[in-house]
Amino acid sequence: MKTVLKYYRKYWYLIIISLAFLAGEAICELQLPSYMSGLLENGVGASDMAVIWSYGWKMILLSVTACVCAVTVGFLSSIIGSKISRDLRFDVFSQVMNFAGEEYNKFSVSSLITRSTNDITQIQMLTIITLRLIMFAPIMGIGGSIMAVEYSGGISSLAWVIAAAILIIIVLIVIALTIVQPKFTKMQKQIDRVNQIAGDELNGMMVIRAFNTQEYEEEKFDKANAELTRTSIFTSRMMALLMPLMTVVMNAIMLTIVWIFAGYVEDFSQIANMVAFMQYALQVIMSFMVISMIFLVLPRARVSINRISEVLNTPISIKNAKGKEESTGQRFKGDVKFESVSYGYGGGALAVENISFEAKSGQVTALIGSTGSGKSTVVSLLPRLMDVTSGKITIDGIDIRDINIKDLRNNIGFVPQKNILFSGNIASNVGYGLDNATEQELQKAVEIAQASEFVNLGEKGFEKEISQGGANVSGGQKQRLAIARAISKKAPIYVFDDSFSALDFKTDAKLRQALAEEMGDACVIIVAQRVGTIKNADRIIVLDDGKVVGDGKHRDLLKTCKTYLDIAKSQLSEEELDL
């Protein structure tokens, strides 16, 4: 709760202005019944038109003023709610952008989307309702009670009538809260579930169609959707039932007041008191009905506040060292060294253990091993996508944890195992992360990545649109564009995590040749499954079960490393092995 409250402090001046207008509206509303009483007693009762016009103009002026104040408060509350939700969305998004793998795995993608949209919308609604109605209700409740006593005509039983009405309303609110609160918590989780299933089905549409499982997926979605619908209907019914019950209570109170006053009506002044008292009683009861609205919105908003706070309060495990918070634009030669590096996901069993090797600038260092041997884990540690559990990684002799994260990643051109393209065009994807990249620079990058053929095909060229996730390009084209994106950075270190798997052997060979010619001074680290891709590397690191079992050149490893020999035999012919 405290995490979210700080966002309200940022707009304290707007909240104070809103409260001032609320006070003005309340004063006008509280004055109207007293003027009505005076109009009846001194104007209508005395048949004095001058007094009637005098009170009438005052009541019109009060009504107009109250209307202006109400509109202003509504306008300001909308601004405050929108600004707070905007700030929350930005900070939640920024927080998620800084998550390491461990923090990111705590929340599913669907849950993070729900928290960034639906949950923040609930907070926005709470803000608007609170500023517009809930702040207004206590003022009207207290002021109305004081004024009601003044116009009770000395009838003590009337106070008990109002007290009984308030007690009944409180009981109704407590009962509704007890029943509805658990349902709101359940509802937000069900929204997460619906979003998760919808996202999975949309992302895996081709697989679903290929396996002809549309009906199964529809049933799965329908089940989650039905559960959310049942919960939503239940909570809506409870909220819908509460208002008619309160209206019945209010009307019953009005009838009771008229019945009690009927025994005391002796002159026109008592009728005037009765009208004023009924109006003030109505204001008191209405204020409690308005307060009940917060108890209907608050439980769901409270769940949303806790969910947002959970994201914002999640500690970031990967952050800059003390004194290294600001980027200096530092550039490195590119000598990388792993020194007894170990890493375990989530503090569990080690995925890689005691990894030590050097990758020097001007050389190609390759990592190869069976699936699950830890190759991707090793290269993900270099740009600090994850932090080592033990040991250290250095660049030019400097521990990467002592380098500003932005500077570190600016020195690395990284191509992940899963190639991701963003909505936009080819130019925005190849030049991603660069400021004002020229067309010549982009053209050079796609030429090295062997992507110029399809990029220059057609009239649009670099302006060709790329759909979300690169769905409108083939796997090989997507991979080459991802490689071009890394090359365009002109970094001293390049990491290719199994980035040639979707390429044919001819394109693979041409790409590696172009890399060697254009980036001869860079440190290149290649993760590969194919021996043919890395057999000419200056150094090959063989991994098995998270450990280094071979280190050397291709020909040497064929003689000294059984794991490498087994991989080579499964891919190369006897002539290619040349043992």
Side-chain angles (χ1 to χ4, degrees):
M1 186 69 75
K2 291 181 180 179
T3 304
V4 175
L5 284 176
K6 70 179 183 181
Y7 290 89
Y8 290 88
R9 289 196 291 268
K10 184 177 179 180
Y11 300 104
W12 61 269
Y13 57 97
L14 289 176
I15 294 175
I16 290 176
I17 294 173
S18 298
L19 291 176
F21 277 99
L22 276 174
E25 181 186 359
I27 290 171
C28 292
E29 294 283 355
L30 289 170
Q31 287 296 319
L32 277 171
S34 64
Y35 279 102
M36 175 65 75
S37 176
L39 174 65
L40 291 172
E41 183 176 357
N42 303 316
V44 177
S47 300
D48 190 338
M49 289 301 300
V51 174
I52 292 174
W53 278 108
S54 174
Y55 275 102
W57 282 114
K58 290 177 182 178
M59 291 174 68
I60 291 172
L61 181 61
L62 285 173
S63 298
V64 171
T65 303
C67 181
V68 171
C69 289
V71 171
T72 304
V73 171
F75 177 74
L76 290 174
S77 63
S78 297
I79 290 177
I80 296 168
S82 298
K83 286 181 178 291
I84 288 174
S85 62
R86 177 200 62 189
D87 294 345
L88 279 170
R89 275 193 296 269
F90 179 81
D91 286 352
V92 168
F93 183 79
S94 298
Q95 178 79 342
V96 173
M97 287 296 99
N98 290 319
F99 276 178
E102 293 181 10
E103 292 93 58
Y104 190 78
N105 291 333
K106 286 177 61 179
F107 308 95
S108 66
V109 174
S110 59
S111 179
L112 289 172
I113 292 173
T114 304
R115 292 168 198 248
S116 301
T117 52
N118 186 278
D119 284 314
I120 291 178
T121 300
Q122 297 302 323
I123 296 173
Q124 181 178 350
M125 290 176 58
L126 175 68
T127 302
I128 294 172
I129 291 175
T130 300
L131 288 174
R132 176 63 193 92
L133 299 175
I134 307 307
M135 294 290 188
F136 182 67
I139 299 174
M140 292 298 296
I142 296 171
S145 299
I146 294 172
M147 298 300 290
V149 171
E150 182 177 343
Y151 285 91
S152 63
I155 305 172
S156 59
S157 58
L158 291 172
W160 290 105
V161 172
I162 297 177
I166 293 172
L167 181 62
I168 293 171
I169 291 173
I170 291 174
V171 170
L172 291 174
I173 292 172
V174 171
I175 293 173
L177 275 178
T178 304
I179 297 172
V180 171
Q181 171 67 35
K183 297 294 183 181
F184 281 131
T185 304
K186 185 178 180 181
M187 186 186 297
Q188 294 305 112
K189 292 180 180 178
Q190 289 172 337
I191 293 173
D192 286 348
R193 178 63 178 163
V194 169
N195 286 340
Q196 180 185 12
I197 294 173
D200 288 345
E201 291 178 351
L202 292 173
N203 290 328
M205 187 60 68
M206 300 303 292
V207 177
I208 293 170
R209 289 175 179 172
F211 283 84
N212 201 28
T213 56
Q214 291 94 324
E215 292 184 3
Y216 169 76
E217 294 297 336
E218 287 174 3
E219 289 175 3
K220 186 167 68 172
F221 181 83
D222 184 59
K223 181 180 178 182
N225 190 31
E227 289 176 354
L228 174 60
T229 302
R230 283 195 295 270
T231 306
S232 180
I233 290 174
F234 179 84
T235 55
S236 297
R237 283 174 176 172
M238 286 300 300
M239 294 170 66
L241 181 63
L242 196 57
M243 280 302 165
L245 290 175
M246 290 185 176
T247 303
V248 169
V249 173
M250 181 179 66
N251 291 330
I253 294 303
M254 294 300 103
L255 289 173
T256 305
I257 291 172
V258 173
W259 182 74
I260 293 174
F261 258 108
Y264 293 90
V265 173
E266 297 175 356
D267 52 35
F268 214 85
S269 63
Q270 283 292 72
I271 296 176
N273 285 338
M274 182 185 73
V275 171
F277 185 87
M278 288 178 64
Q279 291 295 316
Y280 285 122
L282 184 63
Q283 288 179 350
V284 173
I285 296 170
M286 285 296 295
S287 67
F288 276 88
M289 290 180 66
V290 169
I291 290 173
S292 70
M293 293 179 64
I294 190 67
F295 291 107
L296 296 175
V297 177
L298 182 59
R300 189 172 182 182
R302 184 180 178 184
V303 173
S304 297
I305 289 171
N306 291 336
R307 283 160 57 89
I308 294 297
S309 299
E310 189 179 0
V311 175
L312 294 175
N313 292 332
T314 298
I316 304 298
S317 60
I318 296 178
K319 50 190 175 183
N320 289 307
K322 189 175 182 180
K324 300 292 182 179
E325 292 84 0
E326 297 295 327
S327 172
T328 61
Q330 186 177 9
R331 298 292 289 181
F332 295 98
K333 179 184 176 184
D335 290 330
V336 176
K337 188 175 183 181
F338 282 68
E339 301 181 35
S340 302
V341 170
S342 298
Y343 177 78
Y345 288 96
L350 295 177
V352 293
E353 184 177 358
N354 198 30
I355 304 296
S356 297
F357 68 88
E358 288 185 61
K360 296 183 178 180
S361 58
Q363 293 184 355
V364 176
T365 303
L367 279 72
I368 193 169
S370 59
T371 302
S373 59
K375 304 183 298 297
S376 294
T377 300
V378 170
V379 294
S380 295
L381 293 169
L382 180 57
R384 292 193 71 191
L385 302 181
M386 306 176 292
D387 260 346
V388 299
T389 303
S390 63
K392 68 176 181 178
I393 304 171
T394 63
I395 298 179
D396 296 350
I398 304 173
D399 193 322
I400 60 172
R401 289 169 292 191
D402 294 328
I403 303 171
N404 176 270
I405 294 175
K406 185 177 180 180
D407 289 339
L408 171 67
R409 293 171 181 169
N410 279 339
N411 279 274
I412 301 173
F414 191 84
V415 184
Q417 189 174 31
K418 184 179 181 181
N419 299 302
I420 298 294
L421 298 182
F422 300 98
S423 302
N425 54 33
I426 291 177
S428 65
N429 275 278
V430 175
Y432 188 75
L434 297 179
D435 295 327
N436 303 318
T438 64
E439 187 171 343
Q440 289 76 16
E441 290 174 326
L442 299 180
Q443 187 67 50
K444 186 66 174 178
V446 297
E447 286 177 2
I448 296 172
Q450 307 302 304
S452 56
E453 180 182 349
F454 72 85
V455 169
N456 297 325
L457 186 66
E459 298 179 357
K460 291 188 176 181
F462 282 99
E463 297 303 317
K464 178 183 177 181
E465 293 183 2
I466 299 294
S467 61
Q468 185 177 13
N472 61 334
V473 294
S474 69
Q477 290 173 342
K478 187 188 298 185
Q479 197 164 68
R480 281 177 281 174
L481 288 175
I483 293 170
R485 179 171 59 199
I487 293 172
S488 67
K489 290 184 70 172
K490 298 179 180 178
I493 302 169
Y494 291 93
V495 177
F496 300 95
D497 185 4
D498 200 13
S499 306
F500 309 107
S501 58
L503 306 180
D504 59 82
F505 289 101
K506 181 180 178 181
T507 304
D508 184 354
K510 290 172 67 176
L511 195 154
R512 285 185 286 109
Q513 183 180 353
L515 287 174
E517 292 173 356
E518 298 294 335
M519 300 187 299
D521 295 332
C523 171
V524 179
I525 301 175
I526 299 176
V527 173
Q529 299 284 354
R530 298 198 300 232
V531 172
T533 300
I534 52 98
K535 68 178 184 179
N536 294 322
D538 296 290
R539 187 175 187 178
I540 301 173
I541 309 298
V542 185
L543 296 178
D544 185 35
D545 197 24
K547 299 177 182 178
V548 175
V549 294
D551 184 354
K553 292 188 177 239
H554 171 69
R555 288 187 177 276
D556 297 332
L557 289 171
L558 289 174
K559 300 174 183 178
T560 60
C561 181
K562 184 179 182 303
T563 302
Y564 186 77
L565 179 61
D566 291 341
I567 296 172
K569 281 182 176 181
S570 67
Q571 299 179 18
L572 305 177
S573 65
E574 291 293 336
E575 292 79 7
E576 290 174 314
L577 285 173
D578 191 24
L579 292 172

